[in-house]
Short mmCIF file of all heavy atoms in Angstrom, two decimals:
data_model
loop_
_atom_site.label_atom_id
_atom_site.label_comp_id
_atom_site.label_asym_id
_atom_site.label_seq_id
_atom_site.Cartn_x
_atom_site.Cartn_y
_atom_site.Cartn_z
N ALA V 20 0.84 -1.19 0.00
CA ALA V 20 0.00 0.00 0.00
C ALA V 20 0.88 1.24 0.00
O ALA V 20 1.93 1.26 0.63
CB ALA V 20 -0.91 0.00 1.21
N LYS V 21 0.39 2.26 -0.71
CA LYS V 21 1.13 3.51 -0.80
C LYS V 21 0.97 4.30 0.49
O LYS V 21 -0.11 4.37 1.05
CB LYS V 21 0.59 4.32 -1.98
CG LYS V 21 1.64 4.99 -2.77
CD LYS V 21 1.02 5.70 -3.95
CE LYS V 21 2.12 6.37 -4.75
NZ LYS V 21 1.57 7.19 -5.81
N LYS V 22 2.08 4.89 0.97
CA LYS V 22 2.01 5.71 2.17
C LYS V 22 1.36 7.04 1.85
O LYS V 22 1.63 7.63 0.81
CB LYS V 22 3.42 5.99 2.70
CG LYS V 22 3.96 4.94 3.63
CD LYS V 22 5.33 5.35 4.07
CE LYS V 22 5.52 5.12 5.54
NZ LYS V 22 6.85 5.55 5.96
N ALA V 23 0.53 7.52 2.73
CA ALA V 23 -0.10 8.83 2.55
C ALA V 23 0.95 9.91 2.76
O ALA V 23 1.79 9.80 3.65
CB ALA V 23 -1.24 9.00 3.53
N GLN V 24 0.89 10.92 1.92
CA GLN V 24 1.82 12.03 2.03
C GLN V 24 1.41 12.90 3.22
O GLN V 24 0.25 13.24 3.37
CB GLN V 24 1.69 12.86 0.75
CG GLN V 24 2.95 13.53 0.32
CD GLN V 24 2.76 14.20 -1.02
OE1 GLN V 24 2.66 13.53 -2.04
NE2 GLN V 24 2.68 15.49 -1.03
N PRO V 25 2.36 13.26 4.10
CA PRO V 25 2.00 14.15 5.20
C PRO V 25 1.42 15.45 4.64
O PRO V 25 1.83 15.90 3.58
CB PRO V 25 3.33 14.40 5.91
CG PRO V 25 4.20 13.25 5.52
CD PRO V 25 3.75 12.84 4.15
N LYS V 26 0.49 16.04 5.39
CA LYS V 26 -0.21 17.23 4.90
C LYS V 26 0.72 18.40 4.61
O LYS V 26 0.43 19.22 3.77
CB LYS V 26 -1.26 17.66 5.91
CG LYS V 26 -2.51 16.81 5.85
CD LYS V 26 -3.58 17.42 6.72
CE LYS V 26 -4.91 16.76 6.72
NZ LYS V 26 -5.13 15.44 6.42
N ASN V 27 1.84 18.50 5.33
CA ASN V 27 2.72 19.64 5.12
C ASN V 27 3.81 19.37 4.09
O ASN V 27 4.74 20.14 3.94
CB ASN V 27 3.33 20.12 6.45
CG ASN V 27 4.16 19.05 7.12
OD1 ASN V 27 4.09 17.88 6.76
ND2 ASN V 27 4.94 19.44 8.09
N GLU V 28 3.71 18.25 3.36
CA GLU V 28 4.65 17.96 2.26
C GLU V 28 3.97 18.30 0.95
O GLU V 28 2.85 17.90 0.69
CB GLU V 28 5.06 16.49 2.27
CG GLU V 28 6.13 16.18 3.27
CD GLU V 28 6.79 14.84 3.01
OE1 GLU V 28 6.47 14.19 2.00
OE2 GLU V 28 7.61 14.44 3.83
N ILE V 29 4.66 19.09 0.14
CA ILE V 29 4.09 19.54 -1.13
C ILE V 29 5.09 19.40 -2.26
O ILE V 29 6.29 19.41 -2.03
CB ILE V 29 3.60 21.00 -1.03
CG1 ILE V 29 4.76 21.93 -0.66
CG2 ILE V 29 2.46 21.15 -0.06
CD1 ILE V 29 4.42 23.39 -0.81
N PRO V 30 4.60 19.29 -3.50
CA PRO V 30 5.51 19.24 -4.64
C PRO V 30 6.20 20.59 -4.84
O PRO V 30 5.57 21.64 -4.68
CB PRO V 30 4.61 18.89 -5.83
CG PRO V 30 3.21 19.08 -5.37
CD PRO V 30 3.21 19.15 -3.89
N ALA V 31 7.48 20.53 -5.16
CA ALA V 31 8.26 21.75 -5.30
C ALA V 31 9.38 21.54 -6.30
O ALA V 31 9.66 20.42 -6.72
CB ALA V 31 8.84 22.15 -3.95
N LEU V 32 10.01 22.64 -6.68
CA LEU V 32 11.23 22.59 -7.47
C LEU V 32 12.37 23.05 -6.58
O LEU V 32 12.24 24.03 -5.84
CB LEU V 32 11.14 23.52 -8.69
CG LEU V 32 10.14 23.14 -9.77
CD1 LEU V 32 10.20 24.16 -10.91
CD2 LEU V 32 10.39 21.75 -10.31
N LEU V 33 13.48 22.34 -6.64
CA LEU V 33 14.70 22.72 -5.94
C LEU V 33 15.66 23.18 -7.02
O LEU V 33 16.05 22.40 -7.89
CB LEU V 33 15.25 21.50 -5.19
CG LEU V 33 16.24 21.76 -4.08
CD1 LEU V 33 15.67 22.69 -3.03
CD2 LEU V 33 16.65 20.46 -3.44
N ILE V 34 16.01 24.46 -7.00
CA ILE V 34 16.74 25.06 -8.11
C ILE V 34 18.01 25.73 -7.63
O ILE V 34 18.01 26.49 -6.66
CB ILE V 34 15.86 26.12 -8.83
CG1 ILE V 34 14.52 25.50 -9.23
CG2 ILE V 34 16.58 26.69 -10.04
CD1 ILE V 34 13.51 26.50 -9.75
N SER V 35 19.11 25.48 -8.35
CA SER V 35 20.37 26.19 -8.10
C SER V 35 20.97 26.58 -9.43
O SER V 35 20.65 26.01 -10.48
CB SER V 35 21.34 25.30 -7.30
OG SER V 35 21.61 24.11 -8.01
N SER V 36 21.83 27.59 -9.41
CA SER V 36 22.45 28.04 -10.66
C SER V 36 23.74 27.26 -10.92
O SER V 36 24.39 26.80 -9.99
CB SER V 36 22.74 29.54 -10.62
OG SER V 36 23.72 29.82 -9.65
N VAL V 37 24.08 27.13 -12.18
CA VAL V 37 25.32 26.46 -12.57
C VAL V 37 26.49 27.39 -12.25
O VAL V 37 27.50 26.97 -11.71
CB VAL V 37 25.28 26.09 -14.08
CG1 VAL V 37 26.62 25.54 -14.52
CG2 VAL V 37 24.18 25.08 -14.35
N GLY V 38 26.33 28.70 -12.53
CA GLY V 38 27.36 29.69 -12.23
C GLY V 38 27.14 30.29 -10.84
O GLY V 38 26.36 29.77 -10.05
N ALA V 39 27.81 31.41 -10.57
CA ALA V 39 27.70 32.05 -9.25
C ALA V 39 26.28 32.52 -8.95
O ALA V 39 25.77 32.30 -7.86
CB ALA V 39 28.67 33.22 -9.17
N SER V 40 25.64 33.16 -9.93
CA SER V 40 24.25 33.60 -9.73
C SER V 40 23.57 33.75 -11.08
O SER V 40 24.23 33.94 -12.11
CB SER V 40 24.20 34.92 -8.96
OG SER V 40 24.77 35.95 -9.71
N PHE V 41 22.23 33.67 -11.05
CA PHE V 41 21.46 33.75 -12.29
C PHE V 41 20.03 34.12 -11.95
O PHE V 41 19.49 33.65 -10.96
CB PHE V 41 21.50 32.38 -13.01
CG PHE V 41 20.90 32.39 -14.37
CD1 PHE V 41 21.56 32.98 -15.44
CD2 PHE V 41 19.67 31.80 -14.61
CE1 PHE V 41 21.01 32.99 -16.70
CE2 PHE V 41 19.10 31.80 -15.87
CZ PHE V 41 19.79 32.39 -16.93
N ARG V 42 19.43 35.00 -12.75
CA ARG V 42 18.04 35.41 -12.52
C ARG V 42 17.17 34.89 -13.65
O ARG V 42 17.54 34.95 -14.81
CB ARG V 42 17.94 36.93 -12.46
CG ARG V 42 18.64 37.53 -11.26
CD ARG V 42 18.37 39.02 -11.14
NE ARG V 42 16.99 39.30 -10.78
CZ ARG V 42 16.52 39.29 -9.54
NH1 ARG V 42 17.32 39.02 -8.53
NH2 ARG V 42 15.25 39.55 -9.30
N ARG V 43 15.99 34.38 -13.27
CA ARG V 43 15.01 33.93 -14.27
C ARG V 43 13.64 33.92 -13.61
O ARG V 43 13.53 33.56 -12.44
CB ARG V 43 15.38 32.53 -14.79
CG ARG V 43 14.50 31.96 -15.86
CD ARG V 43 14.49 32.77 -17.15
NE ARG V 43 15.65 32.55 -17.96
CZ ARG V 43 16.41 33.52 -18.46
NH1 ARG V 43 16.14 34.77 -18.23
NH2 ARG V 43 17.44 33.25 -19.19
N CYS V 44 12.62 34.33 -14.34
CA CYS V 44 11.22 34.30 -13.88
C CYS V 44 11.00 35.08 -12.58
O CYS V 44 10.16 34.72 -11.76
CB CYS V 44 10.73 32.86 -13.71
SG CYS V 44 10.65 31.93 -15.23
N GLY V 45 11.78 36.14 -12.38
CA GLY V 45 11.59 36.96 -11.19
C GLY V 45 12.28 36.44 -9.94
O GLY V 45 12.10 36.98 -8.85
N PHE V 46 13.08 35.40 -10.06
CA PHE V 46 13.80 34.82 -8.93
C PHE V 46 15.30 34.93 -9.15
O PHE V 46 15.77 34.86 -10.28
CB PHE V 46 13.45 33.33 -8.75
CG PHE V 46 12.00 33.09 -8.46
CD1 PHE V 46 11.13 32.71 -9.46
CD2 PHE V 46 11.50 33.23 -7.17
CE1 PHE V 46 9.78 32.48 -9.20
CE2 PHE V 46 10.16 32.99 -6.89
CZ PHE V 46 9.30 32.63 -7.91
N ALA V 47 16.03 35.09 -8.06
CA ALA V 47 17.50 35.09 -8.12
C ALA V 47 17.99 33.75 -7.59
O ALA V 47 17.61 33.34 -6.49
CB ALA V 47 18.06 36.23 -7.28
N PHE V 48 18.81 33.07 -8.38
CA PHE V 48 19.33 31.76 -7.99
C PHE V 48 20.84 31.84 -7.78
O PHE V 48 21.52 32.61 -8.43
CB PHE V 48 19.02 30.72 -9.08
CG PHE V 48 17.54 30.59 -9.35
CD1 PHE V 48 16.97 31.18 -10.46
CD2 PHE V 48 16.73 29.88 -8.48
CE1 PHE V 48 15.61 31.08 -10.71
CE2 PHE V 48 15.36 29.77 -8.72
CZ PHE V 48 14.81 30.37 -9.84
N SER V 49 21.33 31.02 -6.87
CA SER V 49 22.76 30.91 -6.63
C SER V 49 23.11 29.43 -6.59
O SER V 49 22.27 28.59 -6.89
CB SER V 49 23.13 31.60 -5.30
OG SER V 49 22.61 30.86 -4.22
N LYS V 50 24.34 29.12 -6.18
CA LYS V 50 24.72 27.71 -6.08
C LYS V 50 24.01 27.01 -4.92
O LYS V 50 23.92 25.80 -4.87
CB LYS V 50 26.24 27.59 -5.94
CG LYS V 50 26.95 27.92 -7.24
CD LYS V 50 28.44 27.59 -7.16
CE LYS V 50 29.12 27.96 -8.46
NZ LYS V 50 29.35 26.83 -9.32
N ASP V 51 23.48 27.79 -3.96
CA ASP V 51 22.69 27.22 -2.86
C ASP V 51 21.27 26.98 -3.37
O ASP V 51 20.63 27.91 -3.85
CB ASP V 51 22.64 28.19 -1.67
CG ASP V 51 24.00 28.37 -1.03
OD1 ASP V 51 24.77 27.39 -0.96
OD2 ASP V 51 24.29 29.50 -0.60
N PRO V 52 20.77 25.75 -3.28
CA PRO V 52 19.44 25.45 -3.81
C PRO V 52 18.33 26.29 -3.19
O PRO V 52 18.34 26.55 -1.99
CB PRO V 52 19.25 23.97 -3.48
CG PRO V 52 20.62 23.43 -3.29
CD PRO V 52 21.42 24.57 -2.72
N LEU V 53 17.42 26.72 -4.03
CA LEU V 53 16.24 27.49 -3.62
C LEU V 53 15.03 26.61 -3.84
O LEU V 53 14.81 26.10 -4.94
CB LEU V 53 16.14 28.77 -4.47
CG LEU V 53 14.99 29.71 -4.18
CD1 LEU V 53 15.22 30.43 -2.85
CD2 LEU V 53 14.84 30.73 -5.29
N GLY V 54 14.23 26.41 -2.80
CA GLY V 54 13.03 25.58 -2.90
C GLY V 54 11.82 26.44 -3.19
O GLY V 54 11.53 27.37 -2.44
N ILE V 55 11.10 26.14 -4.27
CA ILE V 55 9.91 26.90 -4.65
C ILE V 55 8.74 25.94 -4.80
O ILE V 55 8.81 24.98 -5.57
CB ILE V 55 10.11 27.65 -5.98
CG1 ILE V 55 11.34 28.57 -5.92
CG2 ILE V 55 8.86 28.46 -6.33
CD1 ILE V 55 11.67 29.25 -7.24
N ALA V 56 7.66 26.18 -4.07
CA ALA V 56 6.46 25.36 -4.18
C ALA V 56 5.91 25.45 -5.60
O ALA V 56 5.85 26.54 -6.17
CB ALA V 56 5.42 25.82 -3.18
N LEU V 57 5.52 24.31 -6.18
CA LEU V 57 4.97 24.32 -7.55
C LEU V 57 3.74 25.20 -7.65
O LEU V 57 3.50 25.81 -8.69
CB LEU V 57 4.63 22.89 -8.00
CG LEU V 57 5.79 22.02 -8.45
CD1 LEU V 57 5.27 20.66 -8.92
CD2 LEU V 57 6.61 22.66 -9.54
N ASP V 58 2.97 25.29 -6.57
CA ASP V 58 1.77 26.12 -6.57
C ASP V 58 2.08 27.61 -6.77
O ASP V 58 1.20 28.38 -7.12
CB ASP V 58 1.00 25.97 -5.25
CG ASP V 58 0.31 24.62 -5.14
OD1 ASP V 58 0.22 23.90 -6.17
OD2 ASP V 58 -0.14 24.27 -4.04
N CYS V 59 3.33 28.00 -6.54
CA CYS V 59 3.73 29.40 -6.68
C CYS V 59 4.14 29.75 -8.11
O CYS V 59 4.42 30.90 -8.40
CB CYS V 59 4.91 29.71 -5.76
SG CYS V 59 4.50 29.56 -4.02
N LEU V 60 4.19 28.75 -8.96
CA LEU V 60 4.67 28.96 -10.33
C LEU V 60 3.58 28.64 -11.35
O LEU V 60 2.77 27.73 -11.14
CB LEU V 60 5.88 28.04 -10.61
CG LEU V 60 7.11 28.25 -9.72
CD1 LEU V 60 8.07 27.09 -9.88
CD2 LEU V 60 7.78 29.57 -10.06
N THR V 61 3.60 29.37 -12.46
CA THR V 61 2.69 29.04 -13.56
C THR V 61 3.30 27.89 -14.34
O THR V 61 4.49 27.60 -14.22
CB THR V 61 2.50 30.25 -14.49
OG1 THR V 61 3.76 30.54 -15.12
CG2 THR V 61 1.99 31.47 -13.75
N GLU V 62 2.49 27.24 -15.18
CA GLU V 62 3.02 26.17 -16.05
C GLU V 62 4.14 26.71 -16.92
O GLU V 62 5.14 26.04 -17.15
CB GLU V 62 1.90 25.61 -16.93
CG GLU V 62 0.98 24.64 -16.21
CD GLU V 62 1.70 23.38 -15.75
OE1 GLU V 62 2.54 22.84 -16.49
OE2 GLU V 62 1.42 22.94 -14.63
N GLU V 63 3.97 27.94 -17.42
CA GLU V 63 4.97 28.56 -18.28
C GLU V 63 6.29 28.76 -17.53
O GLU V 63 7.37 28.46 -18.05
CB GLU V 63 4.45 29.89 -18.80
CG GLU V 63 5.37 30.52 -19.83
CD GLU V 63 4.86 31.86 -20.36
OE1 GLU V 63 3.75 32.28 -19.95
OE2 GLU V 63 5.57 32.46 -21.16
N GLN V 64 6.21 29.26 -16.28
CA GLN V 64 7.43 29.45 -15.49
C GLN V 64 8.14 28.12 -15.24
O GLN V 64 9.36 28.05 -15.30
CB GLN V 64 7.09 30.11 -14.15
CG GLN V 64 6.76 31.57 -14.24
CD GLN V 64 6.35 32.14 -12.90
OE1 GLN V 64 5.53 31.56 -12.20
NE2 GLN V 64 6.94 33.26 -12.53
N ILE V 65 7.37 27.08 -14.94
CA ILE V 65 7.95 25.76 -14.69
C ILE V 65 8.72 25.29 -15.92
O ILE V 65 9.86 24.83 -15.83
CB ILE V 65 6.87 24.74 -14.27
CG1 ILE V 65 6.30 25.13 -12.90
CG2 ILE V 65 7.43 23.31 -14.24
CD1 ILE V 65 5.03 24.38 -12.52
N GLN V 66 8.11 25.44 -17.11
CA GLN V 66 8.76 25.04 -18.36
C GLN V 66 10.05 25.83 -18.60
O GLN V 66 11.08 25.27 -18.95
CB GLN V 66 7.80 25.24 -19.55
CG GLN V 66 6.64 24.28 -19.57
CD GLN V 66 7.08 22.83 -19.75
OE1 GLN V 66 7.95 22.54 -20.55
NE2 GLN V 66 6.49 21.95 -18.98
N VAL V 67 9.98 27.15 -18.40
CA VAL V 67 11.14 28.02 -18.61
C VAL V 67 12.28 27.61 -17.68
O VAL V 67 13.43 27.45 -18.10
CB VAL V 67 10.77 29.51 -18.41
CG1 VAL V 67 12.01 30.39 -18.35
CG2 VAL V 67 9.85 29.98 -19.53
N LEU V 68 11.96 27.41 -16.40
CA LEU V 68 12.98 27.05 -15.42
C LEU V 68 13.59 25.68 -15.72
O LEU V 68 14.81 25.50 -15.67
CB LEU V 68 12.40 27.08 -14.00
CG LEU V 68 12.01 28.47 -13.48
CD1 LEU V 68 11.18 28.35 -12.21
CD2 LEU V 68 13.23 29.33 -13.26
N GLN V 69 12.74 24.70 -16.06
CA GLN V 69 13.24 23.35 -16.33
C GLN V 69 14.08 23.29 -17.60
O GLN V 69 14.95 22.43 -17.72
CB GLN V 69 12.08 22.36 -16.42
CG GLN V 69 11.47 22.08 -15.06
CD GLN V 69 10.31 21.12 -15.12
OE1 GLN V 69 9.54 21.11 -16.08
NE2 GLN V 69 10.13 20.32 -14.08
N ASN V 70 13.84 24.19 -18.55
CA ASN V 70 14.58 24.17 -19.81
C ASN V 70 15.78 25.10 -19.83
O ASN V 70 16.50 25.15 -20.82
CB ASN V 70 13.63 24.50 -20.97
CG ASN V 70 12.62 23.39 -21.20
OD1 ASN V 70 12.97 22.22 -21.20
ND2 ASN V 70 11.37 23.75 -21.37
N GLU V 71 16.00 25.83 -18.74
CA GLU V 71 17.12 26.77 -18.67
C GLU V 71 18.42 26.00 -18.38
O GLU V 71 18.55 25.38 -17.34
CB GLU V 71 16.86 27.83 -17.58
CG GLU V 71 17.99 28.79 -17.37
CD GLU V 71 18.41 29.49 -18.65
OE1 GLU V 71 17.58 30.21 -19.25
OE2 GLU V 71 19.59 29.30 -19.05
N LYS V 72 19.37 26.10 -19.32
CA LYS V 72 20.63 25.35 -19.18
C LYS V 72 21.53 25.89 -18.07
O LYS V 72 22.41 25.19 -17.59
CB LYS V 72 21.38 25.36 -20.50
CG LYS V 72 20.67 24.53 -21.56
CD LYS V 72 21.41 24.55 -22.88
CE LYS V 72 20.78 23.78 -24.00
NZ LYS V 72 19.56 23.07 -23.80
N LYS V 73 21.30 27.12 -17.63
CA LYS V 73 22.14 27.71 -16.58
C LYS V 73 21.62 27.40 -15.18
O LYS V 73 22.16 27.88 -14.20
CB LYS V 73 22.26 29.22 -16.78
CG LYS V 73 23.00 29.57 -18.06
CD LYS V 73 23.14 31.05 -18.24
CE LYS V 73 23.86 31.34 -19.55
NZ LYS V 73 23.95 32.78 -19.80
N LEU V 74 20.55 26.58 -15.12
CA LEU V 74 19.98 26.19 -13.82
C LEU V 74 19.93 24.67 -13.69
O LEU V 74 19.72 23.97 -14.67
CB LEU V 74 18.55 26.74 -13.67
CG LEU V 74 18.38 28.24 -13.61
CD1 LEU V 74 16.91 28.60 -13.61
CD2 LEU V 74 19.08 28.82 -12.39
N LYS V 75 20.13 24.19 -12.46
CA LYS V 75 19.92 22.77 -12.13
C LYS V 75 18.57 22.71 -11.42
O LYS V 75 18.39 23.36 -10.38
CB LYS V 75 21.01 22.26 -11.19
CG LYS V 75 22.39 22.25 -11.78
CD LYS V 75 23.36 21.74 -10.73
CE LYS V 75 24.77 22.19 -11.06
NZ LYS V 75 25.68 22.05 -9.93
N VAL V 76 17.63 21.95 -11.98
CA VAL V 76 16.27 21.90 -11.44
C VAL V 76 15.91 20.46 -11.08
O VAL V 76 16.05 19.56 -11.90
CB VAL V 76 15.25 22.46 -12.47
CG1 VAL V 76 13.85 22.41 -11.90
CG2 VAL V 76 15.63 23.88 -12.88
N GLN V 77 15.44 20.26 -9.85
CA GLN V 77 14.99 18.94 -9.39
C GLN V 77 13.54 19.06 -8.94
O GLN V 77 13.19 20.01 -8.25
CB GLN V 77 15.78 18.52 -8.15
CG GLN V 77 17.11 17.90 -8.38
CD GLN V 77 17.67 17.50 -7.02
OE1 GLN V 77 18.13 18.33 -6.26
NE2 GLN V 77 17.60 16.22 -6.71
N GLU V 78 12.71 18.10 -9.35
CA GLU V 78 11.34 18.03 -8.82
C GLU V 78 11.42 17.24 -7.53
O GLU V 78 11.96 16.14 -7.51
CB GLU V 78 10.41 17.36 -9.82
CG GLU V 78 10.08 18.25 -10.99
CD GLU V 78 8.97 17.68 -11.86
OE1 GLU V 78 7.97 17.18 -11.30
OE2 GLU V 78 9.12 17.75 -13.08
N VAL V 79 10.90 17.82 -6.45
CA VAL V 79 10.97 17.18 -5.15
C VAL V 79 9.63 17.30 -4.43
O VAL V 79 8.76 18.06 -4.83
CB VAL V 79 12.08 17.83 -4.26
CG1 VAL V 79 13.45 17.65 -4.87
CG2 VAL V 79 11.79 19.31 -4.02
N THR V 80 9.50 16.53 -3.37
CA THR V 80 8.41 16.72 -2.41
C THR V 80 9.09 17.21 -1.16
O THR V 80 9.98 16.56 -0.63
CB THR V 80 7.67 15.39 -2.15
OG1 THR V 80 7.16 14.92 -3.39
CG2 THR V 80 6.54 15.59 -1.18
N ALA V 81 8.70 18.40 -0.71
CA ALA V 81 9.40 19.02 0.41
C ALA V 81 8.42 19.42 1.50
O ALA V 81 7.24 19.64 1.24
CB ALA V 81 10.16 20.24 -0.07
N LEU V 82 8.94 19.50 2.70
CA LEU V 82 8.15 20.02 3.80
C LEU V 82 7.95 21.51 3.58
O LEU V 82 8.88 22.21 3.18
CB LEU V 82 8.86 19.79 5.14
CG LEU V 82 8.98 18.34 5.59
CD1 LEU V 82 9.85 18.24 6.82
CD2 LEU V 82 7.59 17.77 5.87
N LEU V 83 6.77 21.99 3.84
CA LEU V 83 6.44 23.40 3.64
C LEU V 83 7.46 24.31 4.34
O LEU V 83 7.89 25.31 3.79
CB LEU V 83 5.03 23.67 4.16
CG LEU V 83 4.36 24.94 3.70
CD1 LEU V 83 4.33 25.04 2.18
CD2 LEU V 83 2.95 25.02 4.24
N ASP V 84 7.88 23.93 5.54
CA ASP V 84 8.81 24.75 6.31
C ASP V 84 10.20 24.85 5.67
O ASP V 84 10.95 25.76 5.97
CB ASP V 84 8.97 24.19 7.73
CG ASP V 84 7.67 24.24 8.52
OD1 ASP V 84 6.74 24.96 8.09
OD2 ASP V 84 7.58 23.57 9.56
N GLU V 85 10.54 23.90 4.81
CA GLU V 85 11.87 23.88 4.18
C GLU V 85 11.94 24.76 2.94
O GLU V 85 13.02 25.04 2.46
CB GLU V 85 12.24 22.45 3.77
CG GLU V 85 12.38 21.51 4.93
CD GLU V 85 12.57 20.06 4.50
OE1 GLU V 85 12.25 19.71 3.35
OE2 GLU V 85 13.03 19.28 5.34
N LEU V 86 10.79 25.16 2.41
CA LEU V 86 10.76 25.92 1.16
C LEU V 86 11.01 27.39 1.39
O LEU V 86 10.62 27.96 2.40
CB LEU V 86 9.42 25.72 0.45
CG LEU V 86 9.12 24.30 0.00
CD1 LEU V 86 7.73 24.20 -0.56
CD2 LEU V 86 10.15 23.84 -1.02
N HIS V 87 11.66 28.03 0.42
CA HIS V 87 11.94 29.46 0.48
C HIS V 87 10.76 30.26 -0.04
O HIS V 87 10.47 31.34 0.45
CB HIS V 87 13.20 29.78 -0.32
CG HIS V 87 14.40 29.03 0.16
ND1 HIS V 87 14.76 27.81 -0.36
CD2 HIS V 87 15.29 29.31 1.12
CE1 HIS V 87 15.85 27.39 0.27
NE2 HIS V 87 16.18 28.27 1.17
N VAL V 88 10.10 29.74 -1.08
CA VAL V 88 8.95 30.43 -1.68
C VAL V 88 7.74 29.52 -1.53
O VAL V 88 7.67 28.47 -2.13
CB VAL V 88 9.21 30.77 -3.17
CG1 VAL V 88 8.04 31.52 -3.75
CG2 VAL V 88 10.50 31.56 -3.33
N LYS V 89 6.80 29.93 -0.66
CA LYS V 89 5.63 29.11 -0.35
C LYS V 89 4.34 29.76 -0.83
O LYS V 89 3.31 29.13 -0.86
CB LYS V 89 5.50 28.89 1.15
CG LYS V 89 6.76 28.46 1.83
CD LYS V 89 6.61 28.51 3.33
CE LYS V 89 7.97 28.68 3.94
NZ LYS V 89 8.08 28.47 5.31
N GLU V 90 4.41 31.06 -1.11
CA GLU V 90 3.23 31.78 -1.54
C GLU V 90 3.53 32.49 -2.84
O GLU V 90 4.67 32.87 -3.10
CB GLU V 90 2.83 32.81 -0.47
CG GLU V 90 2.45 32.18 0.85
CD GLU V 90 2.31 33.20 1.97
OE1 GLU V 90 2.26 34.40 1.67
OE2 GLU V 90 2.25 32.78 3.11
N VAL V 91 2.52 32.70 -3.63
CA VAL V 91 2.69 33.40 -4.91
C VAL V 91 3.14 34.83 -4.59
O VAL V 91 2.55 35.51 -3.76
CB VAL V 91 1.38 33.40 -5.71
CG1 VAL V 91 1.53 34.19 -6.99
CG2 VAL V 91 0.95 31.99 -6.01
N VAL V 92 4.22 35.24 -5.25
CA VAL V 92 4.75 36.60 -5.02
C VAL V 92 4.28 37.56 -6.09
O VAL V 92 3.93 37.18 -7.16
CB VAL V 92 6.30 36.60 -4.94
CG1 VAL V 92 6.75 36.20 -3.57
CG2 VAL V 92 6.91 35.69 -5.98
#
């Protein structure tokens, strides 16, 4: 049986830049990963971020408290 996801765990993107820093979609990225809740991004932003060669993007399930961006800005 599949384990139920805890209520405070949500789908997110964990993003870091390949270089020292990089800006895309209104966010500033560095080599330190930035966690952004998927709910805070549009489909278009998700596509742009995932296809950007200067960023490393991982789809993760993260605890709400661990994310840097939890609300739409």
